[in-house]
Amino acid sequence: MALLHRFQIDGGQVTYRSRFLQSDSYKQNSERNRIMVSEFGTLALPDPCKNIFQRFLSRFEMTKPTDNASVSFIKYKGDYYVSTETNFMHRVDPETLETKQKVDWSKFVAVNGATAHPHIDPDGTAYNMGNSYGKKGTFYNIIMVPPKSEGPEDTLNGAKILCSIAPHDKSKPSYYHSFGMSENYVVFIEQPIKMDLFKILTSKFKGKALSDGIYWDPNQETIFHLIDKQTGKESPVKYHAKAMSTFHQINAFEQDGFLMLDMCCSDDGKAINNYLIQNMRKSGEALDKMYDTIGRPYPRRFVLPLNITKDTPLEQNLNTRCDSKATAVRRTENEVYCTFEDLHEDDLNDYGGLEFPHINYARYNTKPYRYFYGCGFRNLVGDSLIKMDLGSKKFKVWSQPDLYPSEPVFIHSPNAVEEDDGIILSVVITPTKVLQSIEYQSSFLLVLDAKTFEELGRAEVPVNIPYGFHGTFSSSV
């Protein structure tokens, strides 16, 4: 269940608090002391207090989407929300972590959910994506939320669908966790992690979790869709690449008639179904064997030529950037096939690749940039922090045995001039250990110098903190 955390840094002192999100899912589970609401990988079993006939009939009930918003803190119109990938979010008080209001996306726009990774323009306009399933079929939808609130009760008022995109296969749309955005375009990556809608709709009857209906199809190509943020029009040109999976983008920017799309990607998409409790409980050789089956995520760049016309030549590399090894070849009138450029050298292999990327978002999102930060994955969860320099493709590492850091969050210095002038924050956990019969924990908030990647300090917390994925920083709370 979603557990919210807050570190407050004030006057050289760090205080910590946590609180469970008071979602309907949490309340129902707590009241019955068992799982009552189905989640992505967990099916809520029929109530054992019901008779056999009632338990049988319950299998025919539609699975209700959970409001267990456990993925990320996000911000709309100046307010903080916690979000997952269903149609429910919760507005929360970032100071007390109190649950304030449950918000349903479908009450404002015709979507059945939205990602937990919106993008924000400098003026505060937010963009997100959500699927819709209806009589007209299945669509991927680009959502736009205005920057200003109309009052204390305003949540998503004014949100609208900027563009609807038809899936390559309407009965088996792609799963996506996030999307890319440049100054003028939203970039949707339709990857071959597919959702079998029939399996998902019948999962409860078959006694399966929703995740059973999601699978990897290596025989399908990846398709990049470009949508103009001003007009909402989808480009007729589709950019194809080999089968790959991506969960998080690093950055995207336009330069000299090209759109550079940087993201962490893997050559297979099986990882989404590997993080099951029975796998996480493995150890020794069994754990190593399972880990070896997971594709490693690596930072890569695609270069998409924007000015495709009827006169653009076929079967010729259109990427004329002398500093790039990526290719873009026009195969047909409206199809360009792309290959990527690695944003790393071979030595990144020693750290299991890189995921959970973060940049100096406030100043370099949608702009040319040099540095990004992420977690190395020599284990099932991140076990190192990495700073990558795109200029040299060299990197710096922070790592200590048995310590597992969360996503690095970059905060620029108040008077920063250089891109990496600031600090990195990460919540670090370690498995509970026993030393001389005394149990202790060493979870802490880590502070690194973003330029040198040297440790500046840590604030230890004398309680267990579960492993987390995404966080955010605010200087205004």
Side-chain angles (χ1 to χ4, degrees):
M1 305 308 299
L3 181 66
L4 315 183
H5 303 265
R6 175 175 180 260
F7 290 88
Q8 180 177 359
I9 306 170
D10 186 16
Q13 298 290 320
V14 182
T15 56
Y16 169 82
R17 71 170 62 197
S18 64
R19 176 177 286 185
F20 277 103
L21 177 69
Q22 297 300 300
S23 62
D24 292 339
S25 299
Y26 175 80
K27 292 174 182 177
Q28 291 180 48
N29 292 346
S30 298
E31 287 171 1
R32 298 292 185 90
N33 197 30
R34 72 182 191 90
I35 296 174
M36 296 292 297
V37 181
S38 294
E39 302 283 344
F40 176 75
T42 304
L43 177 68
L45 298 175
D47 190 340
C49 296
K50 293 181 178 180
N51 61 41
I52 294 175
F53 183 67
Q54 288 174 321
R55 294 202 298 270
F56 175 74
L57 288 180
S58 69
R59 287 182 177 270
F60 294 90
E61 297 172 357
M62 288 293 292
T63 300
K64 296 179 180 179
T66 180
D67 67 336
N68 177 33
S70 59
V71 178
S72 184
F73 280 88
I74 56 180
K75 200 173 183 180
Y76 292 109
K77 301 182 181 182
D79 290 324
Y80 282 89
Y81 295 81
V82 286
S83 179
T84 179
E85 296 182 332
T86 69
N87 52 309
F88 295 117
M89 298 189 300
H90 287 272
R91 182 157 61 175
V92 296
D93 185 322
E95 185 168 351
T96 66
L97 301 183
E98 180 184 357
T99 304
K100 305 291 290 185
Q101 183 180 5
K102 181 178 176 178
V103 179
D104 185 348
W105 273 104
S106 65
K107 302 297 184 184
F108 300 90
V109 287
V111 296
N112 298 94
T115 81
H117 294 294
H119 277 293
I120 311 297
D121 266 345
D123 68 351
T125 301
Y127 295 84
N128 208 333
M129 288 196 62
N131 282 1
S132 60
Y133 311 99
K135 295 179 180 179
K136 295 183 180 180
T138 302
F139 292 94
Y140 312 114
N141 300 287
I142 311 297
I143 308 165
M144 185 170 67
V145 181
K148 295 183 179 179
S149 175
E150 298 175 359
E153 300 303 316
D154 181 14
T155 54
L156 299 175
N157 293 337
K160 67 178 184 179
I161 300 294
L162 182 67
C163 178
S164 294
I165 305 166
H168 182 69
D169 183 345
K170 290 192 175 183
S171 66
K172 296 177 181 178
S174 292
Y175 168 82
Y176 55 91
H177 184 73
S178 60
F179 61 99
M181 188 181 80
S182 67
E183 182 180 1
N184 295 298
Y185 296 94
V186 169
V187 186
F188 168 56
I189 303 104
E190 189 174 18
Q191 59 186 346
I193 300 179
K194 311 300 288 184
M195 297 189 294
D196 188 320
L197 297 183
F198 179 77
K199 277 191 173 183
I200 291 174
L201 290 172
T202 59
S203 60
K204 187 172 183 179
F205 172 73
K206 295 178 179 179
K208 301 287 188 179
L210 295 176
S211 58
D212 188 61
I214 298 181
Y215 66 99
W216 165 246
D217 185 355
N219 297 315
Q220 294 198 29
E221 292 183 344
T222 303
I223 305 173
F224 301 97
H225 302 262
L226 266 60
I227 296 88
D228 189 303
K229 289 162 61 177
Q230 302 303 316
T231 65
K233 291 183 178 180
E234 181 183 359
S235 171
V237 178
K238 305 301 175 191
Y239 302 86
H240 288 239
K242 73 172 188 175
M244 65 179 185
S245 66
T246 180
F247 290 92
H248 302 105
Q249 285 72 54
I250 305 170
N251 199 6
F253 61 94
E254 301 156 42
Q255 195 173 58
D256 302 325
F258 296 93
L259 190 153
M260 270 59 73
L261 177 63
D262 297 349
M263 55 189 184
C264 296
C265 23
S266 171
D267 291 328
D268 72 57
K270 299 175 184 177
I272 195 170
N273 283 321
N274 280 337
Y275 285 84
L276 303 174
I277 191 67
Q278 56 265 41
N279 287 337
M280 301 296 284
R281 285 174 171 161
K282 291 179 179 178
S283 62
E285 186 177 338
L287 181 62
D288 292 340
K289 186 175 180 180
M290 199 279 290
Y291 171 76
D292 290 339
T293 66
I294 300 176
R296 306 288 183 267
Y298 288 100
R300 296 169 175 174
R301 170 171 292 179
F302 288 87
V303 178
L304 313 182
L306 296 173
N307 303 318
I308 303 294
T309 68
K310 63 179 182 179
D311 298 322
T312 302
L314 299 175
E315 303 301 330
Q316 179 179 319
N317 184 14
L318 304 178
N319 180 16
T320 56
R321 297 174 63 87
C322 60
D323 60 344
S324 173
K325 296 179 180 179
T327 68
V329 176
R330 190 184 183 205
R331 295 197 296 199
T332 64
E333 180 181 358
N334 287 323
E335 183 180 310
V336 176
Y337 187 81
C338 302
T339 65
F340 60 82
E341 169 192 2
D342 286 322
L343 297 180
H344 64 92
E345 302 290 354
D346 291 343
D347 49 356
L348 187 61
N349 297 336
D350 297 335
Y351 292 89
L354 183 147
E355 249 289 5
F356 298 140
H358 206 278
I359 63 169
N360 184 343
Y361 192 94
R363 299 187 178 185
Y364 288 87
N365 182 47
T366 75
K367 299 176 182 178
Y369 70 112
R370 180 173 176 178
Y371 302 105
F372 65 91
Y373 311 85
C375 289
F377 276 77
R378 290 173 297 190
N379 288 279
L380 281 180
V381 295
D383 61 356
S384 62
L385 293 171
I386 295 173
K387 175 189 179 179
M388 184 68 69
D389 183 342
L390 288 175
S392 63
K393 294 188 178 179
K394 302 296 183 183
F395 59 87
K396 300 179 186 294
V397 179
W398 180 92
S399 175
Q400 292 185 13
D402 298 321
L403 295 183
Y404 301 90
S406 68
E407 170 191 62
V409 175
F410 177 88
I411 304 149
H412 63 76
S413 299
N415 300 312
V417 175
E418 296 180 308
E419 180 183 340
D420 60 346
D421 187 359
I423 62 170
I424 292 292
L425 295 181
S426 177
V427 179
V428 182
I429 68 167
T430 187
T432 301
K433 297 181 178 181
V434 177
L435 180 63
Q436 296 179 349
S437 301
I438 300 175
E439 191 176 88
Y440 72 97
Q441 295 83 33
S442 56
S443 302
F444 56 90
L445 177 68
L446 174 69
V447 186
L448 300 179
D449 184 313
K451 188 179 291 291
T452 65
F453 234 48
E454 294 178 355
E455 182 172 333
L456 298 177
R458 57 177 72 179
E460 296 185 354
V461 181
V463 296
N464 274 322
I465 297 179
Y467 185 75
F469 296 119
H470 303 295
T472 189
F473 173 81
S474 173
S475 59
S476 60
V477 176

